[in-house]
Amino acid sequence: MNLFDSFMTREELEAIGFASLGQNLLISRKASFYYPEKITIGDNVRIDDFCLLSGNISIGSFIHIGSYVCMMGQLGIVLKDYSQISFKTTLFSATDDFSGEFLVGPQVPDSCRHIIGGQILLEKHALLGASSLVLPKTKLLEGAVTGAGSLVFGILDPWSIYWGNPLKFIKKRSQKMLTLI
């Protein structure tokens, strides 16, 4: 079997019904998409096996989304060009209110639920390390990076490296890559 047999053809991608599709896409046949009409995908994007993308998601160009990534974009997820998401990372733009004042879960009537959260943004050259968990309203400013296993929330400074749970600033990140494009 050819490696490229595991990726969808252009015709298969168009049949899914995405809001828009760029060129030069490698998207696994084993990836799942809910509400694809709300998902836009730029050029030169690769989405690996067992990813789940749902809701309002905007994917720029030159982006790789590693295997087992889950992106729940009810209140929006935006990936700018050259941002990357590593293996087993989860992004939640929304969550139920667990205060006990409301019911929780997608199977109860919306009138009984209270959804809270906000858009997640990865600016250009931002990167999420493997098995990171990203909470609603998070912004990784240009070039920000998280290490593996990080609990990610808030606004991360540009060209900075963070790691851990709780998340801690580690050091500044080189910008040499900007000379390569």
Short mmCIF file of all heavy atoms in Angstrom, two decimals, residues 42 64 66 87 92 125 127 130 154 156 181:
data_model
loop_
_atom_site.label_atom_id
_atom_site.label_comp_id
_atom_site.label_asym_id
_atom_site.label_seq_id
_atom_site.Cartn_x
_atom_site.Cartn_y
_atom_site.Cartn_z
N GLY A 42 -6.72 25.85 4.85
CA GLY A 42 -5.86 26.54 3.90
C GLY A 42 -5.03 25.58 3.07
O GLY A 42 -5.35 24.40 2.93
N HIS A 64 0.52 21.36 10.33
CA HIS A 64 0.43 19.92 10.58
C HIS A 64 -0.32 19.71 11.88
O HIS A 64 -0.01 20.31 12.90
CB HIS A 64 1.83 19.29 10.68
CG HIS A 64 1.78 17.84 11.03
ND1 HIS A 64 2.51 17.31 12.06
CD2 HIS A 64 1.09 16.80 10.48
CE1 HIS A 64 2.28 16.01 12.14
NE2 HIS A 64 1.41 15.68 11.20
N GLY A 66 -1.11 16.62 14.29
CA GLY A 66 -0.68 15.26 14.56
C GLY A 66 -1.82 14.33 14.92
O GLY A 66 -2.94 14.75 15.22
N PHE A 87 0.80 15.51 18.52
CA PHE A 87 0.14 14.26 18.87
C PHE A 87 -0.64 14.35 20.19
O PHE A 87 -0.15 14.87 21.18
CB PHE A 87 1.27 13.24 18.97
CG PHE A 87 0.90 11.85 19.32
CD1 PHE A 87 0.37 11.01 18.36
CD2 PHE A 87 1.12 11.37 20.59
CE1 PHE A 87 0.06 9.70 18.68
CE2 PHE A 87 0.81 10.07 20.92
CZ PHE A 87 0.28 9.23 19.95
N PHE A 92 -10.42 22.76 23.67
CA PHE A 92 -11.84 22.99 23.97
C PHE A 92 -12.10 24.49 23.96
O PHE A 92 -11.62 25.20 24.83
CB PHE A 92 -12.20 22.48 25.37
CG PHE A 92 -12.19 20.99 25.53
CD1 PHE A 92 -11.18 20.38 26.27
CD2 PHE A 92 -13.18 20.21 24.96
CE1 PHE A 92 -11.17 19.01 26.44
CE2 PHE A 92 -13.17 18.83 25.13
CZ PHE A 92 -12.16 18.23 25.87
N HIS A 125 3.33 30.58 13.71
CA HIS A 125 4.49 29.90 14.30
C HIS A 125 4.28 29.42 15.73
O HIS A 125 5.24 29.02 16.40
CB HIS A 125 5.75 30.75 14.21
CG HIS A 125 6.05 31.22 12.83
ND1 HIS A 125 6.50 30.37 11.84
CD2 HIS A 125 5.93 32.44 12.24
CE1 HIS A 125 6.67 31.05 10.73
NE2 HIS A 125 6.31 32.30 10.93
N LEU A 127 3.03 26.72 18.55
CA LEU A 127 3.09 25.27 18.55
C LEU A 127 2.63 24.72 19.89
O LEU A 127 3.04 25.21 20.94
CB LEU A 127 4.53 24.82 18.29
CG LEU A 127 4.75 23.32 18.12
CD1 LEU A 127 5.84 23.08 17.09
CD2 LEU A 127 5.10 22.65 19.42
N ALA A 130 2.99 17.78 22.42
CA ALA A 130 2.19 16.55 22.53
C ALA A 130 1.44 16.49 23.85
O ALA A 130 1.94 16.88 24.90
CB ALA A 130 3.11 15.34 22.40
N GLY A 154 -5.09 31.10 29.06
CA GLY A 154 -4.69 32.49 29.13
C GLY A 154 -4.00 32.95 27.85
O GLY A 154 -4.17 32.36 26.79
N LEU A 156 -0.42 33.61 26.05
CA LEU A 156 1.00 33.27 26.11
C LEU A 156 1.78 34.28 25.28
O LEU A 156 1.43 34.55 24.12
CB LEU A 156 1.25 31.85 25.60
CG LEU A 156 0.97 30.72 26.61
CD1 LEU A 156 -0.46 30.72 27.09
CD2 LEU A 156 1.34 29.38 26.04
N ILE A 181 11.58 31.71 5.53
CA ILE A 181 10.36 31.76 4.68
C ILE A 181 10.27 33.07 3.92
O ILE A 181 10.87 34.04 4.22
CB ILE A 181 9.08 31.55 5.51
CG1 ILE A 181 9.02 32.52 6.68
CG2 ILE A 181 8.98 30.12 5.98
CD1 ILE A 181 7.75 32.47 7.47
#
